[in-house]
Amino acid sequence: MDSPGSNLVDIYTRYCEIISINEHAKSKEELALLSKLVDSRGQSSDRSVIFDDLSKLMSLLNLTVDSHSFTCFYGFVFFICRENGQKNIGVRRAVAVWRLVLTGRFRLLNQWCEFVEKHHRHNISEDTWQQLLPFSRCIHEDLEGYDPKGAWPILIDEFVEHMYRF
């Protein structure tokens, strides 16, 4: 793979352009084409190479200023870490990536990652991935900010229940 200054940045830029499209069907089609492009470059066979370059990409981007930019980056991380276009990622990979990209952004990151590693046996869905970011932004260490009537994924609700027990 070329340096993250070329391919990965280009792929990230294209991803952000696609998700900014208001037409859901068109953006899904464009994302599928982008995924095939990534696969055709031989990067999907070893997406761990891309995973390793995420920290380099983070250092190239100014993700501290704009939460919209980080939201786009966070979605891109899920997109690029999937294997062969799957709609989810493995628990081990998800935890490793969360530790990389959410450090300093999620007050309960360590507790979340430990909970997922110990109690979740299935892959992480895109919905759970995407909803963790707003959850991380609204929740405090004492779980203040959590709305039990909110439409959180089951895994997040189970995490909160687990935290209340301890």
Side-chain angles (χ1 to χ4, degrees):
M1 177 174 161
D2 295 344
S3 74
S6 60
N7 278 347
L8 197 56
V9 171
D10 294 342
I11 293 167
Y12 170 72
T13 301
R14 181 67 186 130
Y15 173 86
C16 291
E17 290 169 356
I18 292 168
I19 65 163
S20 69
I21 296 172
N22 291 329
E23 300 172 44
H24 181 69
K26 184 176 181 183
S27 63
K28 285 188 77 149
E29 182 179 303
E30 293 285 329
L31 285 173
L33 290 172
L34 183 61
S35 185
K36 286 180 182 180
L37 175 66
V38 171
D39 293 348
S40 73
R41 292 183 177 175
Q43 296 168 342
S44 70
S45 61
D46 187 10
R47 289 215 175 184
S48 63
V49 172
I50 293 172
F51 173 77
D52 293 340
D53 284 341
L54 284 173
S55 61
K56 294 175 188 170
L57 178 61
M58 287 175 66
S59 70
L60 294 174
L61 303 173
N62 186 6
L63 299 172
T64 58
V65 175
D66 181 7
S67 69
H68 176 72
S69 295
F70 185 79
T71 300
C72 183
F73 173 76
Y74 184 77
F76 174 75
V77 170
F78 182 87
F79 174 79
I80 207 74
C81 287
R82 300 174 306 161
E83 294 190 33
N84 301 321
Q86 296 293 314
K87 295 184 180 194
N88 51 52
I89 61 176
V91 169
R92 289 178 59 204
R93 179 170 284 192
V95 167
V97 175
W98 280 324
R99 290 188 187 280
L100 175 68
V101 301
L102 292 179
T103 295
R105 295 179 180 272
F106 182 15
R107 296 172 186 101
L108 297 172
L109 178 62
N110 288 332
Q111 295 91 327
W112 168 257
C113 290
E114 289 171 13
F115 171 80
V116 170
E117 287 175 319
K118 290 179 185 173
H119 301 287
H120 192 67
R121 303 287 179 239
H122 306 289
N123 289 339
I124 303 299
S125 70
E126 185 172 6
D127 181 54
T128 297
W129 180 273
Q130 294 297 349
Q131 290 299 310
L132 184 64
L133 188 58
F135 176 77
S136 72
R137 290 175 171 163
C138 75
I139 199 76
H140 297 278
E141 292 90 346
D142 62 359
L143 301 174
E144 183 183 331
Y146 173 74
D147 179 3
K149 295 178 183 174
W152 299 113
I154 291 170
L155 185 59
I156 290 176
D157 289 331
E158 290 172 347
F159 169 69
V160 171
E161 289 174 23
H162 170 79
M163 291 297 292
Y164 278 135
R165 284 183 288 212
F166 292 97

